[in-house]
Amino acid sequence: MKVTISHIKADIGSLPGHTTVYQPVVDAVDGYIKNNSSGLISDYRISHIGDDIQITMVHKKGTDNPEIHELAWNAFKAGTEIAKKVGLYGAGQDLLKDAFSGNIKGMGPGVAELEITPRKAEPFIVYMMDKTEPGAFNYPIYKMFGDPFNTPGLVIDPNMHMGFRFEVWDIYNGKKVYLSLPEDTYDLLALIGSKGKYVIKRVFTKKEHEKLPDENVAVITTDKLSFIAGEYVGKDDPAGIVRLQSGLPAEGEAVEPFANSYLVSGWMRGSFNGPMMPVGERDSKMVRFDGPPKVRALGFTLKDGKLNGPVDLFDDVGFDFARNEALQMANYIRRMGVFEPHRLPDEDMEYTALPRILEKLAPKFERIEDKGAQSEMKVER
Ligand code: F6R
Ligand code: MG
Ligand code: MG
């Protein structure tokens, strides 16, 4: 019997800036689900990182189910009412439409859903990131499911040795491609290294997997808020679900990619490269330069539709080094101010004043008459 894990997240207001959630709003979202979910879901948890409220639900209605999506939408609406009443910053910011229309995708909230054949014990991790984009998952997901230096199970566990199948989305052109590892490793890396354009959407076991053939074992949100709304309305902070153990990455292999910091795009005004910092709930506010970009990992097991957990996995001394490394990287890169590669290239910035500046300066721009310099600059005459 199939079961679905649906993780849906939204920023519906924060304080004082885009810093952290407000407990009464979290309680309102929780209260709505508690009072309106009977017969729909078998269990749920509410959590948060930075300014994003996150709902994890378990049910039997499959992915993209209108009733499940509407439940989450209405819960965020209930939270938004409080956020507006008390005057939180950006109240309701990710609820881009006035009324629910059947599928929450494209309406602002981020969605990651896995329909699974549950095993005797079904361990999994929900990851949530703030102040970054879906491509921030490319590096750690590749390491978990593709890199034997991170996941020795790929070499020494006969149940993993055949590798995994990756579904990669080209989020600019609305296309997807399936690549099979280890055979297609270099093709996969050629794409996903370009993390603002190609994102890992799902990972599947192969048909030859003895315990769990052809199953979806990881999923990432790929909602690009800026494309949905046609203008900047907030960074598309991603979330993901990864199943664990017994022929899949062990819990330790699924958190190992975060033991060192790595650079992602996002941070202040969604326009800067900055270091990813793994945190537990206690460090999940976005303070320093609105960040730095952070990730939480919540560990669960699932049995008969009921969740055990979460365990706040990065609230552990094992990630102190990564946190310190992220701080050092933050100090280093922050000194560059508005210079690339701290600042993102023009086309990737979520905020830009450049078109206006260019318009203002257009009448003042003069042609460079130096012939030698012109040949170097490829000036067309
Ligand atoms: C980035 C983010 C923040 C805001 C910044 C400016 O994803 O949420 O860094 O971009 O605080 O916010 P506004 O424009 O709302 O003042
Ligand atoms: Mg926000
Ligand atoms: Mg956020």
Side-chain angles (χ1 to χ4, degrees):
M1 174 58 98
K2 297 253 183 195
V3 166
T4 304
I5 307 167
S6 296
H7 185 84
I8 305 186
K9 50 132 316 240
D11 174 354
I12 51 169
S14 51
L15 85 165
H18 295 268
T19 316
T20 189
V21 297
Y22 179 55
Q23 195 57 45
V25 172
V26 179
D27 293 342
V29 173
D30 195 337
Y32 187 91
I33 303 261
K34 191 186 263 162
N35 296 328
N36 296 278
S37 60
S38 96
L40 281 179
I41 60 175
S42 54
D43 209 355
Y44 76 99
R45 294 288 188 277
I46 308 285
S47 51
H48 57 88
I49 183 164
D51 52 12
D52 300 316
I53 297 181
Q54 318 258 342
I55 311 173
T56 312
M57 294 175 283
V58 183
H59 58 91
K60 289 196 175 148
K61 294 187 176 285
T63 59
D64 286 325
N65 180 272
E67 290 174 282
I68 299 298
H69 285 202
E70 188 169 21
L71 177 65
W73 177 264
N74 287 339
F76 287 131
K77 275 276 192 209
T80 297
E81 267 178 44
I82 311 279
K84 284 191 170 152
K85 197 151 81 194
V86 299
L88 290 192
Y89 190 64
Q93 81 157 45
D94 283 356
L95 305 188
L96 304 177
K97 306 267 161 70
D98 294 333
F100 181 76
S101 62
N103 190 315
I104 205 163
K105 285 183 192 160
M107 300 182 78
V111 187
E113 296 186 299
L114 269 184
E115 189 173 31
I116 66 172
T117 318
R119 299 166 287 171
K120 232 182 336 186
E122 186 56 58
F124 68 94
I125 295 178
V126 169
Y127 299 88
M128 11 195 213
M129 295 179 175
D130 194 27
K131 303 297 183 269
T132 186
E133 61 181 5
F137 271 104
N138 285 5
Y139 170 79
I141 294 288
Y142 163 69
K143 291 197 61 131
M144 286 174 218
F145 288 95
D147 176 5
F149 276 58
N150 179 88
T151 300
L154 292 165
V155 176
I156 65 175
D157 182 345
N159 292 312
M160 287 179 89
H161 196 70
M162 69 292 289
F164 293 91
R165 204 158 56 93
F166 286 62
E167 177 183 327
V168 177
W169 283 16
D170 171 344
I171 51 177
Y172 280 83
N173 296 310
K175 291 184 174 173
K176 65 179 175 182
V177 62
Y178 291 93
L179 295 167
S180 188
L181 266 56
E183 313 86 272
D184 300 329
T185 300
Y186 299 157
D187 290 349
L188 176 83
L189 289 172
L191 297 184
I192 64 170
S194 178
K195 61 187 173 34
K197 185 166 185 211
Y198 298 100
V199 297
I200 298 171
K201 175 65 187 174
R202 292 177 187 274
V203 181
F204 298 88
T205 54
K206 292 187 179 170
K207 280 200 255 332
E208 310 86 73
H209 196 284
E210 277 172 26
K211 302 197 166 178
L212 208 59
D214 222 356
E215 274 263 325
N216 191 186
V217 289
V219 62
I220 312 300
T221 61
T222 42
D223 311 83
K224 272 238 149 214
L225 282 176
S226 45
F227 295 156
I228 293 165
E231 59 177 312
Y232 180 72
V233 285
K235 200 79 190 166
D236 41 328
D237 310 311
I241 309 171
V242 172
R243 297 167 72 186
L244 311 171
Q245 306 293 149
S246 201
L248 304 179
E251 180 272 336
E253 290 166 334
V255 294
E256 184 66 4
F258 300 97
N260 285 95
S261 186
Y262 62 100
L263 288 168
V264 298
S265 331
W267 207 352
M268 173 60 72
R269 294 191 159 81
S271 303
F272 290 84
N273 282 308
M276 178 58 77
M277 181 190 275
V279 294
E281 181 170 4
R282 71 173 96 173
D283 291 318
S284 67
K285 297 192 291 291
M286 297 293 148
V287 185
R288 171 93 195 271
F289 197 55
D290 283 2
K294 290 181 178 176
V295 55
R296 289 187 66 195
L298 301 183
F300 296 94
T301 63
L302 174 64
K303 178 78 177 169
D304 297 333
K306 294 284 173 201
L307 292 166
N308 300 299
V311 181
D312 199 0
L313 293 167
F314 292 150
D315 185 10
D316 184 80
V317 64
F319 295 90
D320 282 354
F321 180 84
R323 289 189 267 274
N324 280 327
E325 195 177 47
L327 285 178
Q328 279 171 20
M329 287 163 74
N331 279 350
Y332 172 83
I333 203 164
R334 276 297 305 124
R335 276 181 235 147
M336 295 192 69
V338 290
F339 284 79
E340 295 177 16
H342 181 25
R343 193 183 80 174
L344 296 180
D346 298 342
E347 60 279 12
D348 292 339
M349 284 192 297
E350 300 286 359
Y351 287 54
T352 179
L354 204 61
R356 259 195 230 174
I357 294 169
L358 286 175
E359 199 183 326
K360 185 185 74 186
L361 296 182
K364 295 191 181 174
F365 268 103
E366 296 173 35
R367 185 159 293 282
I368 299 164
E369 294 301 347
D370 180 324
K371 292 250 163 57
Q374 274 169 17
S375 61
E376 277 167 37
M377 291 186 293
K378 301 182 191 129
V379 175
E380 281 175 30
R381 304 222 74 181

